[in-house]
Amino acid sequence: MFRLMKKRGTNQLDDLTMGLVNAMKYSDSDVEYPEFTGVEPGKGVQPEWFYDVYRGTNGFSELTAINQYVSQEALFDDVGELMMGVALVEMKHMDKLGDFILKLKGQVTQEYDTRFVEYGSSAREAVELGIKSETATIAEYEKLTERVEDLPQNDTTKVTLQLLAKLIADEEHHRTMFREWLKTHEEKPDEQRKE
């Protein structure tokens, strides 16, 4: 037999979603996620450092972004495709962060509420809120990058910096897409929130 068989136990759905997200225009496909091989707990990087960006009750976590963008997709037809495309990438971010946190022996089950999720009252306001959220998320990832850069370097810190670089690249791409949308769309009366 000359067939090359896929290893059993691999996550084919993860492969599918990765391919889908990378093929879409909503991700910076020039920057890839690192493999988490070589990541070990106790090598300087603490899983708790990622809790706020993973699922924190704040205006910048991946879970907040998912909730915000999926809801805005339902609320505003004129920006629905953009918001859903970005939300799918944010879901992949949350997935990768969850895997990374667990690799560091951290916890992914945390309480969450939606008090920091803002939706806006028009498509334009939704996009402006998206820019605000992406900017805050980039700032958090940059703080984490500085923190990790200050550690003694090893395989765990290297992979962490690669992961953060991918997340920042995607968030910057989202912010650029939102800014471009604002440049090309004037608010119209029919863009108001659906009730």
Side-chain angles (χ1 to χ4, degrees):
M1 286 282 181
F2 295 101
R3 291 185 294 175
L4 183 60
M5 304 296 287
K6 188 170 184 89
K7 290 182 190 176
R8 293 196 187 278
T10 59
N11 186 336
Q12 293 179 355
L13 187 57
D14 193 42
D15 293 345
L16 173 70
T17 59
M18 183 67 74
L20 175 66
V21 166
N22 285 337
M24 296 174 10
K25 63 183 178 183
Y26 304 103
S27 174
D28 185 340
S29 57
D30 290 335
V31 183
E32 295 185 358
Y33 289 102
E35 295 292 325
F36 294 157
T37 52
V39 172
E40 297 177 57
K43 297 290 186 179
V45 179
Q46 302 302 311
E48 295 83 11
W49 297 352
F50 296 87
Y51 290 173
D52 282 347
V53 291
Y54 175 70
R55 176 178 182 162
T57 300
N58 54 51
F60 56 80
S61 78
E62 296 297 343
L63 186 56
T64 298
I66 294 163
N67 188 306
Q68 177 177 327
Y69 299 146
V70 169
S71 297
Q72 288 170 331
E73 185 277 335
L75 292 169
F76 309 110
D77 288 335
D78 290 354
V79 75
E81 180 181 326
L82 174 60
M83 292 306 187
M84 185 55 76
V86 172
L88 289 170
V89 176
E90 304 295 3
M91 288 177 206
K92 196 66 196 171
H93 289 178
M94 190 171 178
D95 171 54
K96 288 296 188 181
L97 281 167
D99 291 345
F100 186 70
I101 289 167
L102 290 175
K103 189 86 171 166
L104 294 172
K105 302 296 185 206
Q107 302 292 318
V108 294
T109 54
Q110 304 162 22
E111 289 192 25
Y112 180 78
D113 68 49
T114 59
R115 78 178 115 139
F116 289 98
V117 180
E118 298 181 79
Y119 306 112
S121 59
S122 68
R124 182 170 204 80
E125 189 176 343
V127 172
E128 289 168 347
L129 288 168
I131 292 169
K132 177 182 161 188
S133 298
E134 297 295 328
T135 300
T137 305
I138 292 165
E140 290 301 315
Y141 285 138
E142 287 173 343
K143 285 181 205 172
L144 284 169
T145 298
E146 290 173 11
R147 192 173 197 176
V148 175
E149 286 174 336
D150 287 341
L151 296 171
Q153 297 302 293
N154 55 49
D155 288 343
T156 299
T157 57
K158 178 184 173 186
V159 171
T160 304
L161 292 171
Q162 291 169 339
L163 174 62
L164 289 166
K166 169 58 176 167
L167 297 171
I168 290 170
D170 282 350
E171 305 299 5
E172 288 174 340
H173 185 66
H174 298 161
R175 186 171 61 182
T176 297
M177 292 182 81
F178 288 151
R179 287 176 174 161
E180 288 299 316
W181 189 94
L182 286 177
K183 285 181 188 175
T184 59
H185 289 79
E186 294 295 323
E187 189 169 24
K188 302 170 194 148
D190 63 337
E191 287 180 345
Q192 296 300 312
R193 186 174 179 167
K194 297 184 269 184
E195 294 298 333

